[in-house]
């Protein structure tokens, strides 16, 4: 796939990826105050059971990585046989590493891949510094990403893939350690999917301007209050599951034409995040401003993707990132929402393969495995 800028990307059905029935909702477990968070059912497809059961991947190696404040981060490493950079995936707010289900399946066995749960999310421990009274921050997540790299990818080229808060995490790392991204840096590729470099307070959430201002003004206080009433809120979430499902769908997907199994899987991921974790990170987005950090990515093969109907990180924020990086590839996927990697996995997979080819060329690791290169050449589905 040639380099350059793509203004629009269109995909129809991703039949070889879509689920056919993830069943029950995920449990809201607790582990040291953190959500257990791993979805008990995942969409069937490459790497899945095909029966709506738990995903099983060969050569999966779980690790615990200790962050600067002692918080234990849950990391999984999938071994790969082919040459090329190690690919590290950073998930979004209120999700966990399972949100990369389809991409993990697509790369399985071909390249070494790393998936980790942000602090307080998934199987990672609840943030120790937050429990001691320190506010959560995106900068802290950038430090966590550096800890993961030092522990499981201490050398060799790396491609960083971030969705939403995960993309912000990548930019925080770039601000803290620009040398990793420079001409002699180890980061040979970056993918920023449904994310923003700053300006969260200007996001309207699809509301009229006046309504958006009211919501943004009262939301921090409301979320804080709910975070102090954990048991009550969690019980209410269970009672109001149908209402929650409507809310999740509106802010996750761009159309109603999404496989029901994928929708249920997304609900599991979001449901597994306790309200106090939601409250923990929400204030951090207003403080996130890493627009100057984009300079560190100049010259690094970069993919910027967003859905045209993303209400949480609207496409104009991805356009702004791409405008600051003239060599970046910008892909706006028609009628897709925020969970782009679940809603349009075929498009995301193809674009990632194209990015990995550029990253491998920059790193001098040789061509990608043939099966990956063939997948990158497939025409859009639909």
């Amino acid at each position: 796939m040639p380099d350059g800028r793509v203004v629009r990307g269109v995909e129809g059905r991703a039949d070889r990826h879509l689920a056919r029935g993830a069943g029950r909702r995920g449990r809201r477990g607790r582990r040291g105050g953190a959500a257990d968070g791993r979805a008990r059912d995942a969409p069937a497809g490459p790497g899945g059971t095909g029966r709506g059961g738990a995903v099983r991947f060969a050569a999966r190696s779980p690790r615990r990585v200790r962050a600067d404040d002692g918080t234990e981060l849950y990391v999984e490493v999938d071994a790969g046989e082919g040459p090329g950079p190690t690919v590290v995936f950073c998930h979004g707010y209120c999700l966990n590493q399972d949100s990369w289900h389809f991409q993990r399946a697509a790369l399985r066995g071909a390249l070494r891949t790393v998936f980790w749960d942000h602090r307080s999310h998934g199987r990672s421990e609840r943030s120790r510094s937050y429990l001691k009274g320190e506010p959560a921050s995106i900068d802290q997540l950038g430090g966590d990403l550096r800890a993961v790299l030092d522990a499981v990818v201490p050398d060799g080229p790396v491609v960083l893939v971030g969705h939403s808060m995960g993309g912000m995490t990548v930019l925080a790392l770039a601000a803290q350690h620009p040398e990793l991204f420079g001409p002699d840096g180890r980061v040979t590729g970056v993918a920023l999917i449904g994310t923003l470099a700053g300006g969260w307070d200007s996001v309207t959430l699809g509301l009229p301007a006046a309504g958006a201002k009211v919501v943004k003004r009262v939301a921090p206080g409301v979320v804080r209050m709910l975070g102090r009433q954990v048991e009550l809120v969690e019980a209410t979430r269970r009672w109001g599951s149908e209402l929650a499902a409507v809310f999740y769908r509106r802010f996750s997907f761009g159309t109603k034409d999404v496989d029901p199994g994928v929708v249920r899987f997304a609900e599991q991921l979001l449901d597994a995040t306790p309200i106090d974790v939601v409250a923990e990170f929400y204030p951090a987005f207003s403080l996130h401003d890493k627009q100057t950090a984009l300079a560190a990515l100049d010259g690094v093969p970069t993919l910027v993707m967003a859905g045209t109907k993303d209400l949480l990180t609207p496409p104009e924020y991805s356009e702004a990132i791409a405008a600051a990086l003239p060599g970046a590839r910008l892909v706006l996927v028609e009628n897709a929402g925020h969970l782009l990697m679940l809603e349009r996995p075929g498009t995301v997979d193809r674009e990632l393969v194209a990015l990995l080819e550029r990253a491998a060329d920059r790193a001098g690791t040789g061509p990608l495995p043939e099966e990956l290169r063939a997948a990158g050449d497939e025409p859009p589905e639909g």
Side-chain angles (χ1 to χ4, degrees):
M1 192 174 292
D3 294 343
R5 297 167 67 80
V6 175
V7 178
R8 292 287 187 270
V10 181
E11 179 190 21
R13 293 179 327 224
D15 290 338
R16 67 187 177 88
H17 289 288
L18 285 177
R20 292 302 173 201
R24 59 199 181 278
R25 292 181 182 274
R27 296 177 299 186
R28 291 191 191 93
R30 292 276 178 174
R31 194 178 169 279
D36 185 10
R38 192 156 178 96
R40 301 304 181 219
D41 295 304
T49 65
R51 297 185 299 276
V55 187
R56 301 202 191 318
F57 289 95
R60 172 181 286 181
S61 176
R63 296 275 303 271
R64 290 279 174 182
V65 172
R66 195 171 291 275
D68 288 345
D69 67 344
T71 301
E72 288 190 351
L73 307 171
Y74 181 77
V75 182
E76 290 188 355
V77 180
D78 289 357
E81 298 179 356
T86 298
V87 190
V88 180
F89 288 83
C90 309
H91 67 77
Y93 177 51
C94 297
L95 298 170
N96 62 50
Q97 61 179 266
D98 288 352
S99 61
W100 297 110
H101 168 77
F102 293 118
Q103 291 66 50
R104 186 172 196 165
L107 299 182
R108 182 181 54 171
L111 295 176
R112 187 170 185 258
T113 52
V114 176
F115 301 83
W116 64 292
D117 293 335
H118 289 302
R119 60 175 58 225
S120 298
H121 290 72
R123 290 182 174 179
S124 287
E125 186 182 17
R126 187 68 187 271
S127 173
R128 295 189 182 188
S129 58
Y130 181 79
L131 293 177
K132 292 178 180 178
E134 299 178 21
S137 72
I138 304 300
D139 287 338
Q140 190 174 49
L141 297 182
D144 291 350
L145 176 54
R146 178 59 189 264
V148 170
L149 292 178
D150 289 346
V152 301
V153 198
D155 50 42
V158 178
V159 171
L160 301 177
V161 182
H163 167 250
S164 191
M165 187 173 74
M168 300 177 194
T169 299
V170 172
L171 294 180
L173 178 68
Q176 296 162 10
H177 298 283
E179 72 280 0
L180 292 175
F181 297 78
D184 300 319
R186 296 177 52 216
V187 178
T188 61
V190 171
L192 301 173
I193 302 173
T195 194
L196 45 76
W200 163 252
D201 287 339
S202 298
V203 176
T204 66
L205 303 175
L207 299 171
K213 287 182 180 179
V214 172
V215 170
K216 287 298 183 74
R217 186 168 63 249
V218 303
V222 171
V223 171
R224 236 183 353 260
M225 178 189 68
L226 294 176
R228 296 181 186 133
Q229 305 290 330
V230 178
E231 298 304 325
L232 175 61
V233 172
E234 293 302 326
T236 303
R237 284 171 78 176
R238 288 191 290 273
W239 298 335
S241 59
E242 294 305 318
L243 179 61
V246 173
F247 178 84
Y248 290 158
R249 187 174 190 121
R250 171 169 171 75
F251 288 99
S252 297
F253 304 111
T255 71
K256 295 181 179 180
D257 186 24
V258 180
D259 188 278
V262 172
V263 174
R264 286 193 294 271
F265 180 54
E267 290 174 8
Q268 288 179 356
L269 295 175
L270 294 165
D271 257 354
T273 306
I275 189 62
D276 48 339
V277 175
V278 177
E280 178 180 339
F281 282 90
Y282 185 83
F285 300 125
S286 292
L287 302 176
H288 170 69
D289 186 352
K290 292 295 179 286
Q291 296 177 76
T292 58
L294 291 171
L297 276 61
D298 189 21
V300 177
T302 301
L303 167 66
V304 183
M305 294 189 75
T308 61
K309 291 189 176 180
D310 188 336
L311 299 179
L312 296 177
T313 53
E316 55 264 32
Y317 291 86
S318 288
E319 291 176 316
I321 292 174
L325 298 169
R329 180 177 179 82
L330 173 66
V331 180
L332 302 183
V333 184
E334 292 283 0
N335 298 320
H338 189 60
L339 298 188
L340 191 59
M341 65 285 186
L342 290 174
E343 185 175 8
R344 301 291 178 84
T347 292
V348 173
D349 292 353
R350 282 193 304 276
E351 292 296 336
L352 281 181
V353 169
L355 171 68
L356 291 171
E357 286 189 304
R358 296 169 62 197
D361 183 63
R362 177 183 171 93
T365 58
L368 297 179
E370 189 61 37
E371 62 269 26
L372 276 186
R373 298 174 67 192
D377 290 335
E378 289 182 5
E381 297 139 326

